[in-house]
């Protein structure tokens, strides 16, 4: 049997060897990747980001290194994280979410930033204009406010008897919460719907929100497109199933784990585009000269199994419009 001291010595040597080997290799550029999601919730989007990098000739682990930072909806970590990223070895910072993009822009003026934001980046102060961003940031605008009315309309088509709609937002993500709450009431009035606003920034608060919507007899749930909610998608889908609440989500991840439906920009494609822009900047392009791209791909996903469990019959016209039906 190997002695414990010997095992520790061998383990230490094994860990040190790759470090020494890397020290002898040519330096590769480092990309700082700051996601509001969890690693587990980002498998598909990360693959898309790497695909975008590869389209410009960069392969992670070969000629570029990516340092991943997972916020898991804990936006209070952003100031200290941005301070860590201001380092000569970081060549580009990628922030595919509003909060991280704003924090990076406020803290960093010299390192190029590739963002993905759900609001107009000009109004957010990230760029001077979409065509000529100026400064050190550019990226992709994937829209949220513009699709709130569309999501409510699709929910109304699928659950026409639902009148009282609970809208769940994360107050810690102020930009998305404010946008959702600005757009939802007007869209609801046009459809003859009533809105009940619920707030949740923790798992326990999600439980409390469901207790409130059940108590107040909400007919359906509208989940704001928030990274924290994506990280808690299993909890949300489980509670919605337990209480027989039809729920609509901003991205397909919630539907893949049992949610009823989702509609929104193709987030996976946004990550691919971010990878392409990151590669272009690594090759020497300046963010100031790269126009902000706007998402043109939107997807409707319906979970037919969940619909049947809720006693809902999906209209054939809605099924025909769906980009994917999960059975």
């Amino acid at each position: 049997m190997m002695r414990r001291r010997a095992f520790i010595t061998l383990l230490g040597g094994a860990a040190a060897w790759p470090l020494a080997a890397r020290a002898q290799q040519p330096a590769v550029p480092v990309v700082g990747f700051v996601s509001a999601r969890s690693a587990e919730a980002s498998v598909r989007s990360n693959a898309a980001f790497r695909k975008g990098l590869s389209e410009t000739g960069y392969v992670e682990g070969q000629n570029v290194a990516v340092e991943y930072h997972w916020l898991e909806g804990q936006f209070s970590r952003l100031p200290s994280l941005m301070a860590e990223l201001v380092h000569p070895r970081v060549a580009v910072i990628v922030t595919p979410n509003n909060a991280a993009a704003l924090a990076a822009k406020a803290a960093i003026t010299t390192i190029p930033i590739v963002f993905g934001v759900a609001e107009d980046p000009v109004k957010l102060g990230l760029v001077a204009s979409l065509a000529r961003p100026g400064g050190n940031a550019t990226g992709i605008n994937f829209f949220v406010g513009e699709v709130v009315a569309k999501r409510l309309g699709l929910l109304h088509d699928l659950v026409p008897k639902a009148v009282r709609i609970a809208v769940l937002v994360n107050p810690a993500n102020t930009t998305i919460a404010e946008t959702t709450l600005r757009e939802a009431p007007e869209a609801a009035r046009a459809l003859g719907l009533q809105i009940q606003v619920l707030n949740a920034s923790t798992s326990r608060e999600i439980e409390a929100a469901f207790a409130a919507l059940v108590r107040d007899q909400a007919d359906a749930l509208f989940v704001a497109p928030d990274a924290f909610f994506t990280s808690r998608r299993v909890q949300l889908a489980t509670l919605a199933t337990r209480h027989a609440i039809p729920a609509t989500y901003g991205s397909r991840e919630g539907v893949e784990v049992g949610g009823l439906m989702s509609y929104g920009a193709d987030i996976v494609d946004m990550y691919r585009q971010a990878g392409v822009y990151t590669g272009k900047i690594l090759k020497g392009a300046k963010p100031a000269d790269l126009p902000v791209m706007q998402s043109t791909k939107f997807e409707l996903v319906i979970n037919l199994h969940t619909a049947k469990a809720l006693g809902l019959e999906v209209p054939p016209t809605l099924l025909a419009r769906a980009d994917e039906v999960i059975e």
Side-chain angles (χ1 to χ4, degrees):
M1 181 179 296
M2 183 181 294
R3 292 179 180 274
R4 183 173 181 274
R5 185 183 299 276
F7 174 77
I8 293 173
T9 302
L10 287 172
L11 182 60
W17 180 83
L19 293 174
R22 286 200 296 269
Q24 298 172 3
Q25 297 173 352
V28 298
V30 175
V31 175
F33 187 99
V34 183
S35 174
R37 300 181 172 192
S38 64
E40 183 266 336
S42 305
V43 174
R44 183 184 286 115
S45 55
N46 285 355
F49 176 72
R50 288 191 290 269
K51 183 178 185 297
L53 277 174
S54 69
E55 290 176 18
T56 62
Y58 286 96
V59 178
E60 183 182 358
Q62 294 185 18
N63 58 352
V64 66
V66 183
E67 289 186 354
Y68 296 98
H69 302 272
W70 309 107
L71 295 174
E72 299 184 358
Q74 299 176 33
F75 298 107
S76 60
R77 294 172 48 201
L78 278 169
S80 60
L81 178 56
M82 290 305 158
E84 293 176 17
L85 287 174
V86 182
H87 194 285
R89 64 192 176 89
V90 177
V92 184
I93 296 173
V94 180
T95 58
N97 61 89
N98 285 34
L102 291 168
K105 182 66 175 176
I108 300 165
T109 58
T110 56
I111 302 173
I113 299 168
V114 176
F115 58 72
V117 294
E119 287 286 302
D120 181 348
V122 178
K123 291 182 180 178
L124 290 175
L126 292 170
V127 297
S129 72
L130 299 181
R132 301 285 293 182
N136 64 320
T138 188
I140 303 94
N141 178 206
F142 56 89
F143 305 109
V144 165
E146 292 82 350
V147 300
V148 168
K150 182 75 170 181
R151 286 182 59 196
L152 278 174
L154 290 168
L155 179 63
H156 182 61
D157 291 342
L158 182 52
V159 195
K161 293 183 179 179
V163 175
R164 188 174 178 83
I165 312 298
V167 176
L168 181 65
V169 297
N170 175 10
N173 190 351
T174 55
T175 304
I176 298 297
E178 289 173 358
T179 299
T180 302
L181 297 181
R182 183 177 64 245
E183 301 293 333
E186 182 178 351
R189 282 193 297 271
L191 294 167
L193 306 177
Q194 302 169 16
I195 293 294
Q196 174 190 9
V197 178
L198 300 172
N199 295 299
S201 300
T202 66
S203 177
R204 182 173 295 180
E205 289 175 350
I206 288 176
E207 296 276 354
F210 268 87
L213 71 87
V214 170
R215 181 190 66 236
D216 297 334
Q217 299 181 329
D219 299 315
L221 173 65
F222 180 104
V223 180
D226 181 87
F228 170 66
F229 294 149
T230 300
S231 70
R232 302 303 306 171
R233 64 196 183 282
V234 173
Q235 180 188 13
L236 289 166
T238 300
L239 288 169
T241 299
R242 180 184 304 164
H243 298 293
I245 299 292
T248 174
Y249 302 82
S251 62
R252 62 183 298 132
E253 287 93 341
V255 184
E256 290 172 344
V257 297
L260 177 60
M261 68 185 303
S262 68
Y263 180 79
D266 187 341
I267 299 299
V268 170
D269 188 62
M270 182 274 289
Y271 276 83
R272 183 194 63 80
Q273 292 174 328
V276 171
Y277 260 19
T278 300
K280 287 183 177 182
I281 291 171
L282 290 174
K283 285 181 175 293
K286 297 182 183 301
D289 300 328
L290 292 174
V292 174
M293 293 186 287
Q294 295 183 301
S295 293
T296 57
K297 295 177 65 177
F298 295 82
E299 58 179 2
L300 169 63
V301 182
I302 298 173
N303 191 316
L304 197 58
H305 177 77
T306 301
K308 291 178 180 178
L310 290 168
L312 299 172
E313 184 174 345
V314 183
T317 53
L318 198 57
L319 283 175
R321 293 164 62 186
D323 296 278
E324 184 175 345
V325 176
I326 298 174
E327 300 187 60

